[in-house]
Amino acid sequence: MKIPRAKILAPTLENLKFVSEALQNNEIIGMPTETVYGLAANARSPLAIARVFQAKSRPYFDPLIVHLGLEGNCVSALAEMKLIDSAQLSPEQRKKIDRMIKKFWPGPLTLILPKHPDIPDLVSSGLPQVGLRMPTHQIAQSLIHFAGFPLAAPSANRFGKISPTSAEAVQEELGDRIDWILDGGTCEIGLESTIVTIPSESQIEILRPGKVTQAELEEVLEVPISIKTINASHLSKEVEEKESLKSPGLLESHYAPSKPCYLLPCSDDKLTIHSFSLNDLHLNVPIPLQDKEVGYLLQSNRSKSWIKTVCHEMNIRPQIRVLSETGNLVESAQNLFKFMREMDSSEVEVILVEPCESEQGLGRAIQDRILRATAHSRKRVF
Ligand code: TXA
Ligand code: MG
């Protein structure tokens, strides 16, 4: 086996200073955050940013999020730090942004705001807005502090692949393309940040669901917020293209394992032997599963024994992983990318994922990532 070039470093003060210097020399590094690991670079250096796109094989139309230090705690501070052009915001918009910052930063919320000219166009893929996030993770904050500049950091995976939630997963993804990964252990949240945009005076939209929910944002802002996310019936090409212009990285098919990955037809509540025939369970799977090793990613324990029976009768060899035995969404979010990654590198030939039907808390974000992971196969099926 090829030994990866990237070294995983313990987050000692010495190592933090060492990688901060690497960042100052336009190098790029793997950095833990509370959501997923990022591939960090000096947000003000076009050379460093270009290296990020290259290492990820990421198309240049897909903009990066800029991670900032704790001092950026209001609109005027962000303007002073030359991150945003606050002149483009109305007093009402500033008020709303300040409220979101006060309530959710540092934390898993990315705000799309008018870009300051000092942020290279490469960061925002030529868009007039930039995505900003203040991570709560201590190591990320220390790096920003020692480096002395904000860090542009997309998730540290190859383009279109599953976001990494551990240093080892970063090594698996980019180990042959970068030198250093700071080890922050397993990410606390496990899914990427909620992305919010303010397209006009009266509109606020969620472009990507995450830990910060629609309900929480509505409570803070006291206005209705729309959510632009995919749903189970696949988007038309036309809609997808239109939406992808708003947030170019959010193409429907994303976060996908390399193996064929299909959605099971319904949640575990309905998965009972009485209401579903054996074939119904595999309704969405266009290939024969008999005699195959099949990965089942289930939401909770409830349908486990039934799936085992079905597999036995159909001569399928199941590898079952349960996101959370008790259906705890926080635990499911932490495990989703980890288990998808493990299944992807296991012996299974096909991965089948049970949908998450909860709209509460992280439910929406979990379902969004599952629909994206299975998007290719859904397109083929319907
Ligand atoms: O939790 C997270 O957000 C993680 C960690 C590392 O912070 N980062 C992350 O970055 O998920 P990335 O690059 O994998 O996803 C960021 C997405 C882009 O694909 C793009 O759709 C959207 O954020 N985005 C960034 N800047 C934008 C902009 N100026 N306008 C619209 N969408 C933007
Ligand atoms: Mg990503």
Side-chain angles (χ1 to χ4, degrees), residues 217-334:
L217 286 159
E218 285 179 341
E219 196 187 321
V220 168
L221 296 174
E222 296 170 341
V223 289
I225 292 171
S226 54
I227 179 158
K228 298 277 165 208
T229 180
I230 53 172
N231 49 49
S233 61
H234 74 272
L235 294 171
S236 72
K237 198 77 202 146
E238 196 187 323
V239 174
E240 183 172 350
E241 272 163 18
K242 195 162 144 252
E243 292 307 320
S244 69
L245 291 177
K246 284 193 195 156
S247 195
L250 300 183
L251 302 173
E252 189 192 7
S253 167
H254 227 78
Y255 320 101
S258 313
K259 295 197 173 150
C261 189
Y262 299 98
L263 196 63
L264 288 167
C266 65
S267 83
D268 52 8
D269 284 328
K270 296 170 205 151
L271 280 179
T272 68
I273 197 127
H274 306 295
S275 57
F276 268 77
S277 74
L278 303 185
N279 284 336
D280 279 344
L281 174 65
H282 299 112
L283 187 72
N284 296 337
V285 187
I287 50 175
L289 297 175
Q290 272 80 6
D291 300 320
K292 286 205 169 78
E293 191 129 6
V294 175
Y296 287 84
L297 200 49
L298 304 182
Q299 297 295 327
S300 71
N301 254 345
R302 275 179 288 179
S303 44
K304 199 171 164 183
S305 61
W306 183 65
I307 296 269
K308 275 189 185 159
T309 314
V310 169
C311 289
H312 182 71
E313 287 180 27
M314 288 180 79
N315 244 348
I316 293 171
R317 279 170 284 133
Q319 291 279 346
I320 299 177
R321 298 300 302 265
V322 175
L323 287 172
S324 164
E325 299 205 349
T326 56
N328 177 318
L329 294 173
V330 173
E331 193 183 1
S332 295
Q334 283 167 346

Side-chain angles (χ1 to χ4, degrees), residues 137-210:
H137 202 290
Q138 190 54 50
I139 296 175
Q141 278 300 334
S142 302
L143 269 179
I144 295 165
H145 175 74
F146 286 129
F149 41 72
L151 296 174
S155 51
N157 50 282
R158 284 165 291 147
F159 181 68
K161 297 295 171 200
I162 306 164
S163 296
T165 54
S166 67
E168 291 73 23
V170 179
Q171 194 170 48
E172 212 176 280
E173 283 288 322
L174 300 172
D176 56 341
R177 304 176 184 193
I178 62 174
D179 288 319
W180 313 111
I181 303 163
L182 270 178
D183 193 354
T186 305
C187 297
E188 188 192 323
I189 297 172
L191 298 179
E192 306 87 343
S193 60
T194 305
I195 301 181
V196 167
T197 181
I198 306 159
S200 71
E201 188 69 39
S202 57
Q203 255 182 309
I204 300 183
E205 285 177 1
I206 295 177
L207 296 178
R208 179 174 73 184

Side-chain angles (χ1 to χ4, degrees), residues 35 58 62 65 67 129 133 154-155 193 195 208 246-247 249:
T35 55
R58 180 167 172 133
D62 188 359
I65 293 173
H67 297 67
Q129 274 100 24
R133 177 162 112 73
S155 51
S193 60
I195 301 181
R208 179 174 73 184
K246 284 193 195 156
S247 195

Side-chain angles (χ1 to χ4, degrees), residues 191-192 209 229-232 252-257 261-264 284 297-300 323 329 332-333 335-337 340 351-358 362-378:
L191 298 179
E192 306 87 343
T229 180
I230 53 172
N231 49 49
E252 189 192 7
S253 167
H254 227 78
Y255 320 101
C261 189
Y262 299 98
L263 196 63
L264 288 167
N284 296 337
L297 200 49
L298 304 182
Q299 297 295 327
S300 71
L323 287 172
L329 294 173
S332 295
N335 286 333
L336 181 66
F337 288 156
M340 275 189 187
I351 303 169
L352 304 182
V353 191
E354 183 179 36
C356 169
E357 289 209 331
S358 173
L362 280 153
R364 193 117 197 199
I366 293 170
Q367 186 63 348
D368 172 83
R369 304 312 188 270
I370 290 175
L371 291 176
R372 288 175 201 281
T374 55
H376 277 309
S377 31
R378 279 182 295 123

Side-chain angles (χ1 to χ4, degrees), residues 55-108:
K56 273 188 65 107
S57 307
R58 180 167 172 133
Y60 284 95
F61 63 73
D62 188 359
L64 309 183
I65 293 173
V66 174
H67 297 67
L68 55 116
L70 302 175
E71 64 276 25
N73 58 2
C74 60
V75 167
S76 57
L78 296 176
E80 247 168 64
M81 291 162 78
K82 297 191 174 170
L83 291 169
I84 67 166
D85 177 4
S86 57
Q88 292 185 43
L89 296 166
S90 70
E92 188 53 35
Q93 284 174 320
R94 286 179 198 213
K95 212 165 88 190
K96 290 201 173 96
I97 296 160
D98 275 339
R99 278 195 198 173
M100 286 190 276
I101 290 177
K102 195 158 176 229
K103 178 77 183 169
F104 301 111
W105 277 9

